[in-house]
Amino acid sequence: MPANETAPSAKKKGRRARLIVLVLVLALLVGFGYGTYWGLDTVRASFPQTSGTLKVPGLTGTVEVKRDSHGIPQLYADNEDDLFRAQGFVHAQDRFWEMDVRRHMTSGRLSEMFGAGQVETDAFLRTLGWRQVAQEEYDKKLSGETKKYLQAYADGVNAYLKGKSGKDLSVEHAALKLSDDYRPEAWTPVDSVAWLKAMAWDLRGNMQDEIDRALMANRLTPAQIEELYPPYPFDRNKPIVEGGKVDGGKYTPQGASAAGASAGSSSANSAAGSNGSGNTTGGGSGTSGSQASTASPTGLADNAGAQGASVGLRTSLTSLAKTLDQVPAILGPNGSGIGSNSWVVSGKYTTTGKPLLANDPHLSPQLPSVWYQMGLHCRTASAQCRFDVAGYTFSGMPGVVIGHNNDIAWGMTNLGADVTDLYLEQVKPEGYVYDNKVVPFTTRVEEIKVAGGASKKITIRGTNNGPLISDRSDELETVGTRAPVNGSAPDRGNGYGIALRWTALDPGKSMDAVFKLDRAKDFASFREAARDFEVPSQNLIYADTKGNIGYQAPGRIPLRGAGDGRMPAPGWESKYAWKGGRDGTTGYIPQDEMPYDYNPARGYIVTANQAVVENGTGAGKYPHVLTTDWGYGARSQRINDLIEAKIKDSGKISMDDMRAMQMDNSSEIAALLTPMLAKIEVADPDVRAAQKLLEGWNYTQEPDSAAAAYFNAVWRNILQLAFGDKMPKELRIEGSCMNVREETSGPADDLAKTVRECGTRDADSAQPDGGDRWFEVVRRLVKDEKSAWWQSPAVRNQPATTTRDQLFARAMRDARWELTAKLGKDQSTWSWGRLHQLTLKNQTIGKEGPGFLQSLLNRGPWNLGGGEATVNATGWNASGGYGVTWVPSMRMVVNLNDLDKSRWINLTGASGHAYHDNYTDQTDLWAKGDLLDWPFGKEAVEKATAETLTLKP
């Protein structure tokens, strides 16, 4: 195995230097210099008042905030303005540090809080222009009603901030105030809108795959790359929707009722122009299956053989990948693990006689959790007050994102649509080349203010394909002269840049959709709300109290010209541009042609990031390409199988059954490989003893399972030996070093030399990551026992491998000694949970400080079960180690027969204040798979209320 040699980057050193100041200040806060009493007083000063009475300027009437024993608030008001003003106030009470950091991130202003170490990140975020797009949405796209809600919410936040010093807001703010006299500014409506851009960034689709495929071309042939991106297995893993069709500009599900087929379709093509209505999408059209099985037709892959990738493009994409790793991921690492589970079962198959709906989004573990549980209730329903909704909210944004109202429930999973394309641009001093002409850049100058240092000005350049993101690195100013493009490419000598085309950079109306969802009464109004949920594109699942179930795929999905979005496209040719303009009204799949389902005959709907539809031109095929990079359906098919088995066994599914399914730990790849591993002859008695752990194992990854620990270590080593050591350094984990053969132009005897090569990729995005794409890769390759992928060179005392079983035997040996080092020689003490741990880290200053700071703000570890691509998706990156990198960030099961019997849980707790009782009071329950009661009706809420705070004008 290559040595794992790591060193902090210069950027991280700068950020840590800034954090040292905060560490010292926090030391003072807890009594290292000012006395224990003052320290405790500072910690407690930011705890919110949760009972009694408070005056809130701007309210027109009283608002009651009823909290249960876990601090989860239910708000009651007489009008909508008061309701959202109170929501802003309560969010700020519990989570203002989180809100403040995130708004600085979305506007590219982290340097104002954390100093010079964040300048590069700010520059990249300014280049993307999230804040500018959010402002344009607010000014030009959002309804007057939505603007009113946003302003009321901002007024509530500011009412809370008024007159408060740093320590009154949070311990973190106290530290910033003492070190740099930092004072939070007023909240604005655009701060809330910009949050949706951060959400879209983390759910942006296949951008990482696009980069990775291009970088792989440095070392792998096109055929090898295609083996690592196999087609979606439609024969084994069902898509979300089966058998629908597009006809006459409308999508109709298979067997849909007239009500379902017409629901929400009154404003045909309102979200898209006439471009491409019913048309196929460029190079991706007509393919059988979602993943393409041939090389990209863009021309950038024409010469991209084992030696074909250019130094310039490689440098450009490597630097871009590193920049992406450094952008704070609010929702999690963008890769094979990010997604979610949701499913809904018709009352025909439930013990309640009405639908049951489950949802658990898989996101990065955050402290506090990205979600905030809350109820928003009008005391009396009227034209002036139309909200009676509860669920999961985002601190910093009004409304409920996922949950239920009095009539419907809904959940979300990431659709994974391909909504980003990278364009290689031929750059000249005076502009960029487009159709043989030089077009001037659009430019703007931005000033980045830096805490404790001088401001920095940057110039942001844009092309017709989007911002020139390659400008944000010194390495990318000139990106080389041998890009793998076809002969029609312009002069290579002046270098190339990279532009980003992304749907989220076109102003949209997703904020309108949130409030429409909160008030939807039936499937028609639900689909109408979904029309506005443009970015990020999500799978929306539905159930109502009348017994209906449904699904809608919304989103702004581009119609491409040439190319299929799998590799960077040549920006100098107009035929590769997206169809239509950049005004957000043309060039996208019409919403009436987006897939949906309504009361399907099978009685249930499952969405878990699998293919939405099977695209193509035949019967039952979908004519548009939503993406070429779906998840591969390991989780979704397991859920399908669990539902079908339960129906076959008992005919009925209960609330407890839904909860148990959410905690299913079965491993698909273990079921495939374990029988093969068990047959391999092993001479080493210690390795043989480990091999025996797999005998009789049922492939479930419980936290106390020694077999799960050993299998996952074997799986990790198989991936490393078969694929990881063959990857270019740009995809291998940072600091992992190995000796490689490098071709030279010398005499025949010296055509190759050995060089030391170290990986450069962040641990969360290194490859192979072990996700369900790799399940599919290995599933196909194990049939060929002599595949070239099973060849691995001799290392130290281990011989070279040439066959599958030889490589598997070596992986079993490596895994045994790896676990001996990590868990001890005694196998009876091994457990998956000891390897697979979750540590919750307070965002920003809890992530990079020394142990003292972490002990103040962070919590854990928890030993978890589950794993990669299981229903209980506690993900880990096989290149980076076994630690948990994404989790079910919340879980809910909604009972449409009796909403007060619904259940929910959050990853952490309601409070963002360290040492508050509700900081992580739900985490132990979450780790065990338990759910809390979810009161909704007035009587149930009153019964659960532990504290009441009355807000008055």
Side-chain angles (χ1 to χ4, degrees), residues 227 230-233 672 775-784:
E227 284 188 293
Y232 186 90
L672 174 69
F775 291 11
E776 194 63 24
V777 169
V778 172
R779 180 186 293 277
R780 290 165 174 265
L781 289 176
V782 290
K783 301 172 185 177
D784 181 2

Side-chain angles (χ1 to χ4, degrees), residues 204-207 210 213 275-276 279-285 297-298 416-423 501-503 556-567 569 574-580 586-589 624-629:
R204 62 191 177 272
N206 76 335
M207 184 173 170
E210 190 174 340
R213 279 189 288 262
N275 278 356
N279 295 338
T280 57
T281 57
S285 63
T298 62
D418 185 359
V419 296
T420 60
D421 278 347
L422 297 174
Y423 284 89
R501 184 77 165 96
W502 179 31
T503 55
R556 186 184 286 167
I557 316 298
L559 290 166
R560 291 175 173 83
D564 60 7
R566 299 185 76 239
M567 295 278 276
S574 59
K575 68 180 181 179
Y576 290 101
W578 289 3
K579 295 182 179 180
T586 60
Y588 304 105
I589 298 173
H624 303 298
V625 174
L626 301 176
T627 185
T628 60
D629 290 293

Side-chain angles (χ1 to χ4, degrees), residues 189-327:
V190 180
D191 291 332
S192 297
V193 179
W195 160 251
L196 287 173
K197 299 304 169 187
M199 180 181 175
W201 177 253
D202 284 340
L203 301 174
R204 62 191 177 272
N206 76 335
M207 184 173 170
Q208 192 70 61
D209 288 323
E210 190 174 340
I211 293 170
D212 288 355
R213 279 189 288 262
L215 290 172
M216 285 179 185
N218 177 58
R219 184 159 292 173
L220 304 177
T221 68
Q224 288 174 317
I225 294 172
E226 291 305 320
E227 284 188 293
L228 302 185
Y229 289 87
Y232 186 90
F234 284 100
D235 59 334
R236 193 174 66 255
N237 296 341
K238 296 177 183 178
I240 297 172
V241 177
E242 298 177 88
K245 63 179 180 180
V246 173
D247 188 18
K250 293 184 179 180
Y251 182 88
T252 304
Q254 185 179 50
S257 67
S262 62
S265 61
S266 59
S267 53
N269 297 318
S270 63
S274 59
N275 278 356
S277 179
N279 295 338
T280 57
T281 57
S285 63
T287 56
S288 177
S290 64
Q291 271 85 351
S293 59
T294 59
S296 169
T298 62
L300 291 183
D302 287 354
N303 301 320
Q307 305 299 325
S310 80
V311 174
L313 181 59
R314 175 185 174 188
T315 302
S316 180
L317 291 172
T318 300
S319 186
L320 173 58
K322 292 174 72 174
T323 299
L324 299 183
D325 284 337
Q326 292 167 346
V327 175

Side-chain angles (χ1 to χ4, degrees), residues 829-879:
T829 67
W830 289 4
S831 70
W832 175 226
R834 286 180 61 200
L835 280 178
H836 191 53
Q837 293 186 326
L838 168 68
T839 298
L840 294 172
K841 297 185 178 182
N842 182 281
Q843 72 171 2
T844 59
I845 67 174
K847 290 185 176 181
E848 296 186 15
F852 164 71
L853 179 60
Q854 294 178 11
S855 66
L856 279 176
L857 300 176
N858 300 343
R859 300 292 181 269
W862 284 265
N863 295 348
L864 298 185
E868 186 61 48
T870 63
V871 181
N872 182 23
T874 56
W876 54 287
N877 185 303
S879 287

Side-chain angles (χ1 to χ4, degrees), residues 420-473:
T420 60
D421 278 347
L422 297 174
Y423 284 89
L424 193 65
E425 302 285 1
Q426 212 277 335
V427 176
K428 295 179 177 292
E430 64 273 23
Y432 60 98
V433 175
Y434 191 69
D435 282 347
N436 298 315
K437 297 180 181 178
V438 177
V439 181
F441 295 109
T442 60
T443 61
R444 71 177 190 272
V445 177
E446 298 255 352
E447 182 178 6
I448 299 173
K449 296 180 180 179
V450 181
S455 297
K456 178 180 179 179
K457 288 187 177 181
I458 62 170
T459 299
I460 296 165
R461 300 188 293 177
T463 75
N464 64 306
N465 290 315
L468 203 63
I469 56 177
S470 54
D471 278 353
R472 297 285 67 86
S473 169

Side-chain angles (χ1 to χ4, degrees), residues 55 378 397 893 932:
K55 290 186 177 181
C378 293
M397 197 178 93
V893 181
L932 297 173

